[in-house]
Amino acid sequence: MQEETKKHICVHCGDDCGSHPVIWDEKPFCCNGCSTVYQILHENELCTYYDFESNPGIKIEAGKYKEKFAFLDDNEIAEQLYEFAEGNIRKITLYIPSIHCSSCIWLLEHLNILNQGVIKSMVNFVKKEVAITFNSDEISIRELAELLSSIHYIPEITLDKLQLKQNEEVNKSLLYKIGIAGFCFGNIMLLSLPEYVPGHEYLETHFKEFFGMMNFFLVLPVFFYSGSDYLLSAGKAIKHKFINIDVPISMGILMLFIQSSIEIFSGSGAGYMDSLTGLIFFLLIGKWYQNRTYQALSFERDYRSYFPVAVSKMENGIEISTPIEKLEKGDIILIRNQELIPADGILMKGEAQIDYSFVTGESKPVFKESGDAVFAGGKQMGSAIELTIEKDVIQSRLTQLWNQFEGKDSSNTKLNSLIDQISKYFTIVIIAIGLFAGIYWLLNDSSKAVFAFTSVLIVACPCALALSAPFAMGNTMRLMGRMGIYLKSSAVVEKLNSITTIVFDKTGTITQADEVKVKFHGDALSDDDKIAVKSLTRHSTHVLSSTLYEYYKSIPPETVADYTELPSMGISGTVNGRKIKLGSAKFIYEGKTETSSLNTEVYLSADGKIKGHFSLSNQYRTGLSELINGLAPKYDLHILSGDNDSEMENLKQIFPATSIIRFNQSPNDKLEYINNLKKQNKYVLMIGDGLNDAGALKTSDVGISIADDIYHFSPACDAILEASKFQELKYFLKISAKSVWIVKLSFILSFLYNLFGLYFAVQGILSPIVAALLMPISSISVVAFATFTTNYIAKSKETNNKTKSNNKEAKTSVFLKKSVQLN
């Protein structure tokens, strides 16, 4: 009988299962929904979810929101919400205000476990958004909204797509709460004034009662409205059996409210209503400050960072290299093979085979005909096409797409792990100290007990600790962008500090495409041959193709049919009825022979007849020798090249004897080489041109793509480096190392602040209102320290560069003067 009445707790959500639980694998569940979710997680070996925050999951409530999102069945409405729609693939970004913790992020980014129709989901915690890519054949937009709602993440869907408006509403709500708290705080301070001046004991009793009741009524809107976010957040945390930073704050608020109410209604005292309203008022100001700072950082990232690349704009049949931020609606642009489409447009000329894996994760190409719409983020996989831009280029769209490509786990860093470990126990320790201080003073001096308890909980908030890393790294990322290297995320800053090995690609990375000397060896080329070379190379973004295209700049190109490009091998196509092939000797001779030369060679054949080859003598990038000399003492240096070993002697003079140099490396060879280095516990930085190095860039710990003046970067890379800033790579690595050092100093600063505050708080001599003032001040101090120190490091680096540049110019001037005197 006792066994029948035993209470069963659902393994997934923690609710009471009742007398007839659903049993699976000898575990009780309150419903089939929870059982199903647990089985899915178990089958996919994802049951670490239940250990992630030491709390149960979220209960599935099917059928509750069936009618709420019925309007999404209307195709006209749904089409207005899609950011991307091609075939059965759809992408939408939804605003979900209930996102509040790391558990929310985990669950929302694993929606594909709950429904296989979801291809990918990614959370923007600051904006409380989730970007979802899904298969419309398997799940509709309405079913997607219902799925989110069933796990208590109800999306707010508006057709105006005004996220700015949503953010403004959130900001207005916070300002209303600050205004009400400030108004009540001021009036309560005024009504409490008699308690703080000499002679208050002579105040008549009915006046004291009146002032006390007025304070009580004034505190109610502050307690139930202005401070509601802290109380609700803490309530949710306790309900799901974990502790967040709002728990100790809410405990302090509740303690002050209960104690003050008891004193007022019992007539034993005036209470601490002034401290309570002041506490909430200054907490909200601190929250407003943090929100504004996060938004400022986000704005800097979204709209001021840009890819340092251009696209070819067509004007009167002439190609003009134009920065993408200067493109406007109506411009006609040329997109070559492997180039990313920067804006939504209409296909005007050419055959498009668009790879949307950058957007959807699906690599299957989509075929487009003249007049069809093409979305930003697609990559052309064939001959060049011409597009008319339909929407202005919004750089944040490309930034968002770039960040969406998760080649590596950006959250798995040492500092993030350290913060997680500290935060996990920090709040528990602070609550314990607060309870100890409160009990101690309750037994010795009860007048200090409430102040001691609440002050400890408020002053030792871990906000400053949590802010130190994101602001130091975020500001470093922003400053690096201004100096010419554009990082995918702030986590890359820390990863750069861990690098032990640097691997360089050769062609287009340490060599300079615009200063290559070209000479043809073989039978004299006819005008038709030159037109064929110009036409074929027009469709490729490879460095060698670009060089030959510029070499025949004055020759008008013709249409190319059946265009094909094999990475690290060559290109082919039909021009005016002739089958033209350009590439390596292995590609032209079909693997039968291979030649060697002191220069890079590009062979040409027409209709199977070999015409000869172009000899391209490489020009190394400015400052390469200085860069290698600066890197060699600290890092292991490697070179991987798809060319022959003609440059071996030149490279040996530049790179140290310990460097490993390998030639004739295919993209797969480079990938395997990086994997082997990582197996040796090396932390690898790969620097390539973003074309044939995508696999190696993705596999390396950090992948940097060099960008010249054409729009070719790989979504697999972690950073884009302006080619003109190539020689400054060693300074960027130094800045990353100093930024990590700054974060550690910020940790120490935060801990010292907490120890200082706790010293006074446990003695009961620190008022909660003063503690509430100190808490945002700690956040401001940490943010200011991180910002000013990273700015100083960047400024010092720029100053050093200018000094060195001036010294070089001075030396050059002296040399010229001496030369003139000698002559």
Side-chain angles (χ1 to χ4, degrees):
M1 190 70 177
Q2 291 179 349
E3 185 68 18
E4 292 179 2
T5 58
K6 182 180 178 181
K7 187 175 180 181
H8 294 279
I9 300 299
C10 180
V11 173
H12 176 72
C13 72
D15 282 0
D16 184 6
C17 296
S19 57
H20 300 287
V22 176
I23 303 297
W24 185 84
D25 195 24
E26 299 182 356
K27 294 180 176 63
F29 299 91
C30 64
C31 64
N32 287 319
C34 288
S35 174
T36 302
V37 173
Y38 183 90
Q39 290 179 49
I40 293 172
L41 295 174
H42 184 270
E43 290 169 2
N44 289 273
E45 298 182 355
L46 291 170
C47 280
T48 51
Y49 167 68
Y50 300 99
D51 301 323
F52 188 63
E53 289 284 2
S54 300
N55 66 290
I58 297 173
K59 185 175 180 179
I60 303 296
E61 297 181 0
K64 187 176 179 179
Y65 299 93
K66 284 292 183 183
E67 298 304 321
K68 180 178 175 66
F69 299 106
F71 68 94
L72 293 176
D73 285 334
D74 188 324
N75 287 332
E76 290 186 9
I77 294 176
E79 290 295 332
Q80 296 179 58
L81 295 171
Y82 296 139
E83 293 180 357
F84 177 88
E86 187 65 57
N88 58 353
I89 304 299
R90 301 285 187 273
K91 182 180 178 184
I92 186 173
T93 298
L94 297 173
Y95 175 64
I96 302 179
S98 57
I99 299 173
H100 71 282
C101 68
S102 53
S103 300
C104 299
I105 296 173
W106 191 95
L107 189 57
L108 287 171
E109 291 192 342
H110 290 80
L111 290 175
N112 60 311
I113 297 173
L114 303 180
N115 192 302
Q116 294 183 354
V118 178
I119 298 170
K120 184 172 186 174
S121 53
M122 185 172 169
V123 173
N124 184 324
F125 182 74
V126 175
K127 293 184 177 180
K128 297 190 183 298
E129 293 177 338
V130 57
I132 303 172
T133 304
F134 63 98
N135 186 332
S136 60
D137 290 345
E138 297 185 24
I139 183 173
S140 68
I141 185 174
R142 174 181 175 178
E143 291 170 337
L144 181 63
E146 291 171 353
L147 172 65
L148 288 167
S149 300
S150 70
I151 55 175
H152 296 283
Y153 294 103
I154 304 172
E156 290 189 5
I157 299 176
T158 56
L159 294 179
D160 55 9
K161 291 186 178 180
L162 294 178
Q163 179 59 45
L164 180 60
K165 181 178 179 182
Q166 293 170 348
N167 287 335
E168 286 177 351
E169 291 298 323
V170 173
N171 289 333
K172 283 182 180 178
S173 176
L174 181 57
L175 290 175
Y176 292 152
K177 292 177 180 180
I178 292 174
I180 290 173
F183 172 81
C184 295
F185 172 51
N187 282 279
I188 290 175
M189 285 291 291
L190 184 63
L191 292 169
S192 301
L193 183 62
E195 295 291 328
Y196 296 100
V197 296
H200 66 88
E201 64 272 12
Y202 302 112
L203 190 66
E204 295 182 16
T205 305
H206 66 275
F207 278 114
K208 289 184 178 181
E209 292 176 353
F210 174 75
F211 290 152
M213 292 305 298
M214 287 294 293
N215 285 345
F216 177 78
F217 286 117
L218 280 170
V219 86
L220 291 179
V222 180
F223 181 79
F224 288 105
Y225 176 65
S226 298
S228 60
D229 288 343
Y230 295 102
L231 299 173
L232 290 173
S233 176
K236 289 179 180 178
I238 294 171
K239 180 181 177 181
H240 290 288
K241 299 179 182 179
F242 68 94
I243 296 175
N244 60 17
I245 62 175
D246 292 332
V247 171
I249 294 174
S250 298
M251 290 176 67
I253 291 172
L254 282 171
M255 179 61 70
L256 284 173
F257 180 75
I258 294 170
Q259 178 69 22
S260 300
S261 299
I262 291 172
E263 290 189 13
I264 289 172
F265 283 98
S266 66
S268 59
Y272 311 104
M273 293 305 187
D274 52 346
S275 296
L276 174 57
T277 51
L279 167 64
I280 294 176
F281 175 65
F282 289 113
L283 284 175
L284 290 173
I285 288 179
K287 184 177 181 180
W288 172 84
Y289 168 77
Q290 290 178 14
N291 287 348
R292 290 287 294 178
T293 314
Y294 266 124
Q295 289 173 12
L297 185 63
S298 177
F299 176 86
E300 188 79 32
R301 177 65 184 147
D302 288 344
Y303 296 98
R304 293 187 186 176
S305 65
Y306 62 91
F307 298 130
V309 286
V311 67
S312 295
K313 185 172 76 170
M314 305 298 295
E315 290 188 3
N316 300 320
I318 300 174
E319 299 174 23
I320 300 175
S321 182
T322 305
I324 60 173
E325 68 269 18
K326 294 184 179 180
L327 295 177
E328 299 177 352
K329 181 179 179 180
D331 287 345
I332 299 175
I333 59 174
L334 179 73
I335 303 296
R336 297 181 177 87
N337 179 50
Q338 297 293 321
E339 284 188 342
L340 202 68
I341 298 168
D344 296 348
I346 301 295
L347 180 61
M348 301 297 294
K349 186 186 295 184
E351 296 179 356
Q353 299 180 47
I354 310 297
D355 177 5
Y356 281 117
S357 58
F358 201 5
V359 183
T360 66
E362 298 288 336
S363 59
K364 184 178 180 181
V366 177
F367 294 89
K368 294 287 185 179
E369 297 179 351
S370 181
D372 288 346
V374 179
F375 289 93
K379 183 191 289 185
Q380 168 63 354
M381 302 297 292
S383 56
I385 57 176
E386 291 185 14
L387 303 175
T388 299
I389 293 178
E390 285 293 298
K391 294 182 180 179
D392 291 339
V393 177
I394 302 176
Q395 194 60 53
S396 59
R397 171 78 179 273
L398 293 174
T399 304
Q400 183 184 32
L401 289 173
W402 186 37
N403 286 328
Q404 177 179 288
F405 192 92
E406 295 179 350
K408 294 173 270 288
D409 183 7
S410 62
S411 64
N412 186 23
T413 63
K414 293 180 181 178
L415 285 178
N416 283 340
S417 299
L418 178 62
I419 293 171
D420 290 341
Q421 288 296 319
I422 294 173
S423 300
K424 186 175 180 180
Y425 301 105
F426 189 90
T427 305
I428 298 174
V429 171
I430 294 305
I431 292 174
I433 293 174
L435 288 171
F436 175 80
I439 294 170
Y440 174 83
W441 287 113
L442 189 64
L443 298 174
N444 293 275
D445 184 354
S446 60
S447 64
K448 294 182 178 181
V450 175
F451 271 23
F453 177 71
T454 55
S455 297
V456 167
L457 297 181
I458 303 304
V459 78
C461 177
C463 295
L465 179 67
L467 286 173
S468 57
F471 277 93
M473 297 303 187
N475 196 50
T476 301
M477 180 180 74
R478 179 176 63 87
L479 293 171
M480 282 188 170
R482 291 181 177 180
M483 290 185 285
I485 183 169
Y486 304 86
L487 308 183
K488 177 178 288 190
S489 68
S490 57
V492 178
V493 178
E494 183 187 348
K495 289 184 177 181
L496 285 172
N497 181 55
S498 303
I499 295 302
T500 60
T501 304
I502 301 177
V503 179
F504 294 92
D505 172 53
K506 184 178 78 71
T507 307
T509 301
I510 63 175
T511 61
Q512 206 156 324
D514 56 357
E515 294 187 16
V516 176
K517 295 181 180 179
V518 180
K519 185 177 181 180
F520 186 77
H521 302 271
D523 298 335
L525 296 180
S526 65
D527 291 340
D528 288 341
D529 292 331
K530 295 176 182 179
I531 290 173
V533 172
K534 173 64 178 285
S535 303
L536 198 60
T537 54
R538 181 176 186 249
H539 297 269
S540 173
T541 56
H542 192 277
V543 174
L544 299 181
S545 297
S546 300
T547 301
L548 293 178
Y549 180 80
E550 289 297 319
Y551 184 65
Y552 290 118
K553 191 172 184 178
S554 60
I555 297 175
E558 297 286 346
T559 302
V560 177
D562 302 324
Y563 177 84
T564 304
E565 181 166 352
L566 297 177
S568 292
M569 292 294 288
I571 55 179
S572 64
T574 303
V575 183
N576 293 327
R578 303 168 69 205
K579 183 66 176 178
I580 307 297
K581 294 179 70 177
L582 270 171
S584 64
K586 184 183 294 185
F587 179 65
I588 299 299
Y589 289 101
E590 298 181 351
K592 296 178 182 178
T593 184
E594 180 67 68
T595 63
S596 60
S597 171
L598 295 178
N599 297 311
T600 299
E601 297 176 344
V602 178
Y603 285 78
L604 168 66
S605 73
D607 291 329
K609 181 181 178 182
I610 299 174
K611 294 283 188 177
H613 67 269
F614 292 93
S615 172
L616 293 85
S617 56
N618 290 307
Q619 179 69 35
Y620 294 107
R621 291 195 184 275
T622 304
L624 177 62
S625 296
E626 291 82 356
L627 173 63
I628 299 305
N629 290 336
L631 296 175
K634 186 176 181 181
Y635 304 98
D636 296 329
L637 304 180
H638 302 247
I639 302 173
L640 302 178
S641 174
D643 297 333
N644 56 42
D645 60 358
S646 59
E647 293 287 326
M648 177 64 82
E649 294 303 318
N650 291 333
L651 291 173
K652 283 184 176 180
Q653 295 178 13
I654 298 173
F655 284 79
T658 55
S659 300
I660 298 176
I661 305 173
R662 294 198 175 184
F663 295 92
N664 300 308
Q665 298 290 294
S666 68
N668 190 60
D669 292 334
K670 295 178 182 179
L671 172 61
E672 289 301 318
Y673 191 84
I674 298 295
N675 280 327
N676 289 333
L677 287 175
K678 293 182 70 175
K679 288 177 182 178
Q680 300 170 28
N681 295 321
K682 306 284 188 181
Y683 288 91
V684 183
L685 166 62
M686 171 70 188
I687 306 176
D689 59 12
L691 296 171
N692 302 323
D693 308 317
L697 289 168
K698 179 180 178 181
T699 304
S700 60
D701 294 287
V702 179
I704 297 180
S705 178
I706 299 291
D708 280 288
D709 59 348
I710 55 175
Y711 194 73
H712 67 242
F713 74 94
S714 169
C717 67
D718 298 290
I720 301 172
L721 176 63
E722 283 186 18
S724 61
K725 306 294 183 181
F726 175 74
Q727 69 273 18
E728 298 179 17
L729 177 64
K730 59 184 177 182
Y731 296 112
F732 294 132
L733 293 171
K734 287 181 180 178
I735 289 174
S736 68
K738 290 182 179 179
S739 296
V740 173
W741 179 70
I742 287 170
V743 172
K744 294 177 180 178
L745 282 180
S746 298
F747 285 172
I748 296 173
L749 181 66
S750 178
F751 277 119
L752 288 176
Y753 164 83
N754 283 319
L755 289 173
F756 176 79
L758 284 172
Y759 173 76
F760 293 99
V762 295
Q763 297 181 62
I765 59 177
L766 186 66
S767 167
I769 190 172
V770 177
L773 273 169
L774 291 176
M775 192 185 76
I777 290 174
S778 70
S779 299
I780 293 171
S781 63
V782 168
V783 171
F785 174 76
T787 302
F788 288 138
T789 48
T790 48
N791 283 341
Y792 175 76
I793 289 172
K795 188 176 181 180
S796 300
K797 178 257 178 188
E798 290 177 347
T799 302
N800 290 337
N801 283 354
K802 288 180 180 178
T803 302
K804 290 181 179 181
S805 178
N806 291 336
N807 289 338
K808 285 184 179 179
E809 290 178 2
K811 289 179 180 178
T812 303
S813 177
V814 171
F815 174 76
L816 290 174
K817 286 180 181 179
K818 288 182 178 179
S819 298
V820 171
Q821 290 173 356
L822 288 172
N823 290 333

